[in-house]
Each structure stands twice: as structure tokens, then as C-alpha cells.
Amino acid sequence: MTSYVKWGFLTRFIEEAFEAYGIPEEDAKICTDVLLQSDKKGIESHGVNRFKPIYIDRIKDGIQNPVTTFEVVRETPTTAVVDGHDGMGQVIGYRSIKMAIEKAKTYGMGMVAVRNSTHYGIAGYYTDMAAEAGCIGISGTNARPSIAPTFSVQNKLGTNPLTVSFPTDEPFPFSLDCATSIIQRGRIELYEREGKETPAGTVIGHDGSAMTDSAAILRALQSGEAALAPLGGIGEELSGYKGYGYATIVEVLSAALQQGNFLSMLTGIGKDGEKVKFHLGHFFIAIDTEAFVGLEQFKQTTGDILRELRAAEKAPGVDRIYTAGEKEYLIWQERQKTGLPVNESVQKELIAIRDDAGLHDYRFPFED
Amino acid sequence: MTSYVKWGFLTRFIEEAFEAYGIPEEDAKICTDVLLQSDKKGIESHGVNRFKPIYIDRIKDGIQNPVTTFEVVRETPTTAVVDGHDGMGQVIGYRSIKMAIEKAKTYGMGMVAVRNSTHYGIAGYYTDMAAEAGCIGISGTNARPSIAPTFSVQNKLGTNPLTVSFPTDEPFPFSLDCATSIIQRGRIELYEREGKETPAGTVIGHDGSAMTDSAAILRALQSGEAALAPLGGIGEELSGYKGYGYATIVEVLSAALQQGNFLSMLTGIGKDGEKVKFHLGHFFIAIDTEAFVGLEQFKQTTGDILRELRAAEKAPGVDRIYTAGEKEYLIWQERQKTGLPVNESVQKELIAIRDDAGLHDYRFPFED
């Protein structure tokens, strides 16, 4: 049964657990905040359900370093190339966007390109940080091969989010944080946990057919026998080449500026089937609105645009039109009262980590 | 019957015709190059077919100024806000991306936000200029309301291209130049000229139904009785909210940094039904690859990514996998030998302009 866990308790537990696996206290706070920010926004695909498989297991497998060495390889007034040395992606991401914001505050714009990183969680965490600082934030990352190019059935590109946040005059930023595939692996993992099928047309099988069995898709994505369709779908009929193109842009920005790995180099599996480091790449751009007509004016115009969009004429039977970041804000309004709903599968993982890390002072509400 | 017109002849004619309507010689060369670049790439939706209706007619209607006043309203080392005073969008675009490139060459990055501009042609012209200069180029523009937000039937957002070019080690740049709708107005104009239906699912009628009659769609888009679906389609089933989100990002970047017009302000029609100035906004970003690991390395990694994508396993029955900019390059290889194929509808427009402008020395091959 789903159980609600209070945020304060969950935050302390995740922080202590990260520390138990060797992550320094300050870094553990960052990693926890990135992880829970996803749950707070209702993006379960990137939240606590990934704590064990994507972070703890990878540290234990030795393919991700708990202590992060953040090396600035090259730097100019507005740009930097960073080598993350396979540390914690969230820490690398946090420090990179901070750098980009500082450069933007001084010179108007800043961009940091990262190589040898690991899974950095939701891209929107970093772009929202930029928006909070009065900047436009843009970020993306490459990832395990998942998306097939238009007219191919082979998973080549990662789900490669192209993520943008803007400050606005509303209580939350505009924040579009989405994969350049129609759906992404985390969403399919969630379908699989919930025992649901994956919508037809979003995944292409090796024979060109559409796949819908979520567990089979996850296995097939891993083995290369299935691939995600890019935004716009399979083939060119509904302009799938555009989503394919945007995924390619993210792949290039995540590898070519930093001389990092890309495409089939990012499987995480070595030639003898062993787990190997991912060596992911990310990019972070901050643009200071004060370098143009100013923050207050930017916020108001952006807010005016968003309000006009929401006030557009609705399709028959529709209650409400949203703008990006709004649903996530509404979910947080609800969840800050209720705590996080945790399903049974994740409950087992949290108990396993608690026991493995020896954090015996923690007793979860779902154990009562 | 379609007739082929040689590039040299066509270039001289378009230049002289632009000049005949009051555009200074240097500017006329720019406008001509932008216009014909579209035809050279096979993007007929933005080429000579738009010479009369989108440029010459608007100058004659007094809603676009043939002489361009390029006013830099605000400037920092990396950024600028430009007021185009309703001059020629191509000239404003050309000068803006040049500015962004110069800033990038000096400081690593550059961005120019423009207000009070007019239709600037293909966005890829400007991003390709950046790629040619060794920079990453990014550009976008707002436009007449066309796209409905997800769950709306009202045309609110322009087709808002989000366009990116990269230098590569191949004979042509990576160049993704596409609307954030599934298809765009120029494409529907082309379907209408060719007497073809528009694919179902790409246009939503006022009652929520899919429309396919191209001529009816163009009328309905103008009157607000139809709207384009964003990339990803109608509703959320195949993630239409992502295309809607990207269209919103382009709208914000085209208006909020420069305090320009947006959404329903951009109809080009006044309150008494009269034609009025569009006051469009654009943005131009240049990022110097030399500020990271260097141009040659960037080109090679990008080329390697593109070659691996093209070499992916093909879907059954497919001959070839492309990357963005490749089809356009291949079309130019063919067309530089044949000249431009001009259909009868455009032939009539070219003759009308020739006669109206008094350019009696020009006799088109299709008049023989």
C-alpha cells in the first residue's frame, strides 16, 4: 500500500544514507535536494524511486565516485570546460550552473560544458536555480542510448532533455523540463512499477513494430532490441525528424564542446558485459536578464505571455490550460501538506538501504 | 508548367526588384541572399514564392520599411537589444547575428534580442552564418498567431522556429531549422499551391476536429477558426505539451528580453480590419567553439556523432538515415546545376513584379 512520508524525515534519511555511502556532508545535501525536488514536483520518474538503482547501486558497483572532483579544465570569462571525474552528477551540475550564473552576472552570459559526469537527476533543478537568480537557464545532458534516429530502429541517442527555465512575476518559474523522446525511460519504469502498458507509438521494436509491454520494453531497451521514438513520432509523417534533431543538438552540446563521450559509448556496459562508468556529458547556460531590458520587465512580459496562453479558448470538454512548471507547482502545494506518497516497491528499496547502511535509528511509517 | 531559372539571372532580378521598391543596394543583396538561400536548400515555403506576398506587398502596403534603421538600444560586452523600426527583417537578422558572432569571438558568447522587426526569412540562414564563423548558432522568432496551446483550439503562438547550427568537419553544417508546430503555414501554402491536402492531426479546427483542406486551413488560420498543433500533436497523448513548451520558449525569448510584442499582438491586422505593422521579435545567440576545446575538435566530434547516427540500423524498407542539413545540402548539389524550379503561380508573381517595377530588361525563360 502507498504510504506518505514526511519531507523532513525523508530529507534527513536520504542525506544520512548518501553520507553512509561515502558522500561528503555538503555534497549529500545537494544530492538529496536534487533527488527530492523531483518528487516535490511530482516527477516520480526521477525521484526516490531512483535513489537505490541509479545512485547507491552505482556507487557500490564502483562505476560512480561518491567523492566528487570538480576540475576546471579550461576557462574564459564566459565559458568553462569541466571534468567531473565520474563523481556525483548532482554536485557537478550544481557547481556548474553556479559557475554559469556567476559568469552571466558579470558578463551577461555564461556556459559550462561538462565531461565525465554521472546521472545528474532532473535537468530542471539547475535551470530553476538560474531562474531563481534572475537568469534564463538552459541545460541538457546525454544519456544511455534510447532514441532511434528517424528511419532507424536502433537506440542511439539518449533521452537527452532540452530544458529551459525563465523567471516570471508568478510564484513559480516557467520550467520546461522534458526529454526529446515522446516519453522517457523513467516514465516506462514507472509504468512497469504500476503494472501499466506503455502507449503505442512511443517505442519502436527491432522489426519496426510499436511495443507496449512496459517490462519487455525496459529489457529490450537495455539489450538494444527496442528504441524510443523521438518527439514527433516514428517516421516523418508528424515531423519526428524534429525531435530527432533536438535530441542530436543535446548530444552535440553534451560532448563536442568538452571532448566527451557520446552515443554508443554511453551504454554503461563493457565489452565483456561488465558494468562500466558512463562518462556522461552535460551543458549549462545562464543568460542574465539584467543585461537586456531588466529582470522586472522580463518577469512581467513573460508572466503576461503565460497568462494569455492559459486564457486561450479551451477545446471542447477541457477544464484548464497549463503552462510549463504550473502542474509541478500545484503538485508541490498539495504534497508539502501530505508528504511524499511512496509505493511498495520503493518502500522495500528504502528499507534495504536503511539496513545496508546501518541507519537503525530510522523507522519508516510504512513499517508500522 | 514548372520552369527552371538560372541562379545568376534570378539573383540579379531579385536584387534589382528589391532596389526598385526602395531597398538600398547593400541591403537588397542581403535580402536576396536570404530569400534564395531558402530555395537553394529546397525550403520552397520560404523562398521566391514569398517574394511578392511577404515582402513586396508589405512594403507597398506601408507596413514594412524598405530602409532599415538598426538601432542598438542597449549593449553590454556579450549582449545587445536592437530596435529594427519595422525595417527589412533579413537586414536586421544579418546585422544582429554578425553582432552576436563578434561578441562571441571576443568574449566567448554573444546574444542579440530584437524588437520591431519584420519577417526575417529562414532562421537557418543566420545560424548557418554562425557555424560558418566557427560558432554554434541559435536563433528564433515569433510570428503571426498559429499554434494552439495544448488543450486549446485558439491560435496563439507563432510557428516559432527554434533553430540551431553547428560547424562540422563535413562539407555542410548541421542545421536544424524547423517550426515548433508539426508543420507550418508556408508548408500549407505550398500544399495549397500544389492542390494537396494537409496531413490529418497537424491542424485543429475550432470544434476540436482535425482539418485537411489546405485552402480552407489557410483561410481559417487567418480568421482564427483553426490552429496548428504543436510538435507532439493535439492533446498530451504523444507529448504535445513539449512542442507547446518549445513554442512558448521561442515566444518569450523573442519578446521578454526586448520588451517587444507577442502572441495576439502579432496578427498584422488592426481593430478596423486594416493591415498594421507586425512588430516581430527575434533572438540570435552565438557561442564560440574556440572558447571550449577548440573548433577543429568540435567539428570532428560533431561529425563523428552525425556519422554514427547515419550508420544506425535502418528500419525495414528504408534506404538511408539523414542528419539535419544533409537533405538541404543534397538538394543544393542538384539545384546548382539545374537552376530553381519555378511553378506557374510564382511565375505570374515574378512577371507582375517585373512589370510593376519597370524592370523591362528582364525576360524570364518561362515567357519564351
Side-chain angles (χ1 to χ4, degrees):
Chain A
M1 216 177 68
T2 292
S3 169
Y4 286 82
V5 182
K6 294 290 177 200
W7 294 104
F9 176 87
L10 194 58
T11 303
R12 283 191 300 277
F13 171 72
I14 301 278
E15 275 177 20
E16 274 207 58
F18 269 132
E19 286 183 55
Y21 291 97
I23 295 164
E25 184 180 350
E26 194 186 341
D27 291 359
K29 284 185 196 301
I30 293 168
C31 293
T32 302
D33 201 43
V34 176
L35 192 78
L36 293 184
Q37 187 66 29
S38 180
D39 286 313
K40 288 174 180 175
K41 287 182 161 196
I43 311 169
E44 279 95 349
S45 60
H46 282 62
V48 178
N49 70 313
R50 289 199 156 181
F51 183 40
K52 181 176 180 299
I54 302 290
Y55 302 108
I56 302 304
D57 288 353
R58 288 182 184 174
I59 291 169
K60 292 174 75 174
D61 287 335
I63 60 169
Q64 170 156 355
N65 300 319
V67 177
T68 301
T69 305
F70 185 88
E71 184 193 359
V72 179
V73 176
R74 171 127 206 262
E75 189 168 9
T76 78
T78 62
T79 68
V81 178
V82 165
D83 192 319
H85 294 285
D86 309 298
M88 298 302 291
Q90 303 97 323
V91 175
I92 298 163
Y94 179 88
R95 293 185 62 178
S96 295
I97 190 69
K98 289 275 270 189
M99 247 186 122
I101 292 167
E102 278 161 28
K103 288 173 179 296
K105 289 287 174 187
T106 311
Y107 297 100
M109 305 176 78
M111 180 169 183
V112 176
V114 173
R115 69 182 177 222
N116 296 326
S117 186
T118 58
H119 198 287
Y120 79 167
I122 49 168
Y125 184 87
Y126 312 103
T127 56
D128 283 359
M129 277 177 68
E132 182 65 32
C135 293
I136 294 166
I138 307 174
S139 183
T141 180
N142 56 17
R144 283 182 290 179
S146 303
I147 300 178
T150 299
F151 297 137
S152 169
V153 294
Q154 190 177 5
N155 50 6
K156 275 288 177 188
L157 295 143
T159 43
N160 293 12
L162 180 57
T163 296
V164 178
S165 295
F166 296 130
T168 80
D169 60 2
E170 301 189 320
F172 54 96
F174 173 93
S175 184
L176 183 73
D177 184 7
C178 64
T180 45
S181 51
I182 300 175
I183 58 172
Q184 35 75 45
R185 194 188 299 258
R187 170 63 53 184
I188 299 170
E189 288 168 2
L190 192 69
Y191 286 138
E192 193 263 340
R193 278 169 192 273
E194 293 176 347
K196 289 183 185 164
E197 290 213 326
T198 297
T202 59
V203 178
I204 185 167
H206 200 246
D207 59 355
S209 66
M211 293 181 74
T212 57
D213 179 328
S214 301
I217 287 170
L218 289 172
R219 286 193 303 272
L221 285 174
Q222 193 68 28
S223 68
E225 294 295 304
L228 301 178
L231 180 62
I234 297 168
E236 287 190 331
E237 172 79 16
L238 297 176
S239 293
Y241 72 94
K242 296 184 181 183
Y244 162 42
Y246 288 123
T248 305
I249 288 165
V250 173
E251 194 80 26
V252 170
L253 293 176
S254 300
L257 288 167
Q258 53 274 66
Q259 219 173 332
N261 282 4
F262 53 83
L263 298 177
S264 56
M265 301 173 187
L266 304 176
T267 56
I269 298 169
K271 59 179 185 301
D272 297 322
E274 77 282 16
K275 291 178 182 174
V276 298
K277 289 171 177 167
F278 283 96
H279 300 309
L280 300 183
H282 322 304
F283 64 94
F284 303 86
I285 298 173
I287 301 167
D288 188 15
T289 57
E290 292 289 5
F292 294 86
V293 292
L295 176 59
E296 290 314 309
Q297 188 59 50
F298 180 90
K299 281 180 166 181
Q300 192 194 314
T301 305
T302 301
D304 287 346
I305 289 171
L306 301 179
R307 285 181 286 273
E308 183 177 337
L309 290 170
R310 288 185 211 127
E313 194 177 343
K314 296 177 198 62
V318 164
D319 286 336
R320 185 168 176 172
I321 293 164
Y322 295 89
T323 52
E326 190 184 6
K327 281 187 183 176
E328 292 77 6
Y329 174 75
L330 294 172
I331 288 173
W332 172 231
Q333 297 311 298
E334 190 59 32
R335 287 196 171 175
Q336 61 179 325
K337 291 177 286 193
T338 63
L340 178 67
V342 177
N343 66 33
E344 287 186 22
S345 164
V346 176
Q347 289 171 20
K348 284 182 196 136
E349 289 180 353
L350 291 176
I351 289 171
I353 288 176
R354 190 260 323 268
D355 295 344
D356 184 56
L359 299 174
H360 304 299
D361 291 346
Y362 286 89
R363 186 169 173 82
F364 296 103
F366 42 79
E367 293 180 285
D368 294 332
Chain B
M1 218 176 70
T2 293
S3 170
Y4 286 82
V5 182
K6 293 290 176 200
W7 294 104
F9 176 87
L10 194 58
T11 303
R12 284 190 299 278
F13 172 73
I14 301 279
E15 274 177 18
E16 273 208 58
F18 270 131
E19 288 183 54
Y21 291 96
I23 295 164
E25 184 180 349
E26 193 186 340
D27 291 0
K29 285 186 195 301
I30 293 168
C31 293
T32 302
D33 201 42
V34 175
L35 192 79
L36 293 185
Q37 187 65 27
S38 180
D39 286 313
K40 288 174 180 176
K41 288 182 161 195
I43 311 170
E44 279 95 347
S45 61
H46 282 61
V48 178
N49 70 314
R50 289 199 154 182
F51 183 42
K52 181 177 181 297
I54 302 289
Y55 303 109
I56 301 305
D57 287 354
R58 288 182 183 176
I59 292 169
K60 293 174 75 173
D61 288 334
I63 61 168
Q64 171 156 355
N65 300 319
V67 178
T68 300
T69 305
F70 184 90
E71 184 193 1
V72 179
V73 176
R74 172 130 204 260
E75 189 169 8
T76 78
T78 61
T79 68
V81 178
V82 166
D83 192 319
H85 294 285
D86 309 297
M88 297 301 291
Q90 303 97 324
V91 176
I92 297 164
Y94 179 89
R95 294 184 62 179
S96 295
I97 191 69
K98 289 276 269 189
M99 247 186 122
I101 292 167
E102 278 161 28
K103 289 173 178 297
K105 289 287 173 189
T106 311
Y107 298 99
M109 306 176 78
M111 180 171 184
V112 177
V114 173
R115 68 182 178 222
N116 296 325
S117 185
T118 58
H119 198 287
Y120 78 166
I122 48 168
Y125 184 88
Y126 312 103
T127 56
D128 283 358
M129 278 176 66
E132 181 66 31
C135 293
I136 294 165
I138 307 174
S139 182
T141 179
N142 56 19
R144 283 182 292 179
S146 302
I147 299 178
T150 299
F151 297 137
S152 169
V153 294
Q154 189 177 5
N155 51 6
K156 276 289 178 187
L157 295 144
T159 43
N160 293 10
L162 180 57
T163 297
V164 178
S165 294
F166 296 130
T168 80
D169 59 4
E170 301 190 320
F172 54 96
F174 173 93
S175 184
L176 182 72
D177 184 7
C178 65
T180 44
S181 51
I182 301 176
I183 58 171
Q184 36 77 44
R185 193 188 301 258
R187 169 63 52 182
I188 301 169
E189 288 168 2
L190 192 70
Y191 286 138
E192 193 262 341
R193 278 169 192 273
E194 294 176 347
K196 290 183 185 164
E197 290 213 327
T198 297
T202 59
V203 178
I204 185 167
H206 200 246
D207 59 356
S209 67
M211 294 180 73
T212 57
D213 179 329
S214 301
I217 288 170
L218 289 172
R219 285 193 303 273
L221 285 175
Q222 193 69 29
S223 68
E225 295 294 305
L228 300 178
L231 180 62
I234 298 169
E236 287 191 331
E237 173 77 18
L238 297 176
S239 293
Y241 71 93
K242 297 185 180 182
Y244 161 42
Y246 288 124
T248 305
I249 287 165
V250 173
E251 193 80 26
V252 169
L253 293 175
S254 300
L257 288 167
Q258 52 276 67
Q259 220 173 333
N261 282 3
F262 54 83
L263 299 178
S264 56
M265 301 173 187
L266 304 176
T267 56
I269 299 168
K271 59 181 185 301
D272 298 321
E274 77 282 14
K275 292 178 180 174
V276 298
K277 290 171 177 167
F278 283 96
H279 301 308
L280 300 183
H282 322 303
F283 64 93
F284 304 86
I285 298 173
I287 300 168
D288 187 15
T289 57
E290 292 289 4
F292 295 86
V293 292
L295 177 59
E296 289 315 308
Q297 189 59 51
F298 181 89
K299 281 180 164 181
Q300 191 195 315
T301 305
T302 302
D304 287 345
I305 290 171
L306 302 179
R307 286 181 286 273
E308 183 176 337
L309 289 171
R310 288 186 211 126
E313 192 176 343
K314 296 176 198 64
V318 163
D319 286 335
R320 185 167 176 172
I321 293 164
Y322 296 89
T323 52
E326 189 183 8
K327 281 187 183 176
E328 292 77 5
Y329 174 75
L330 295 172
I331 288 173
W332 172 231
Q333 297 311 299
E334 190 58 33
R335 286 195 172 174
Q336 61 180 328
K337 291 177 284 194
T338 63
L340 178 68
V342 177
N343 67 32
E344 288 187 21
S345 164
V346 175
Q347 289 171 20
K348 284 183 195 135
E349 289 180 353
L350 290 176
I351 290 171
I353 288 176
R354 189 262 321 270
D355 294 346
D356 184 56
L359 298 174
H360 305 298
D361 291 347
Y362 287 89
R363 187 171 171 81
F364 296 104
F366 42 79
E367 293 180 287
D368 293 334

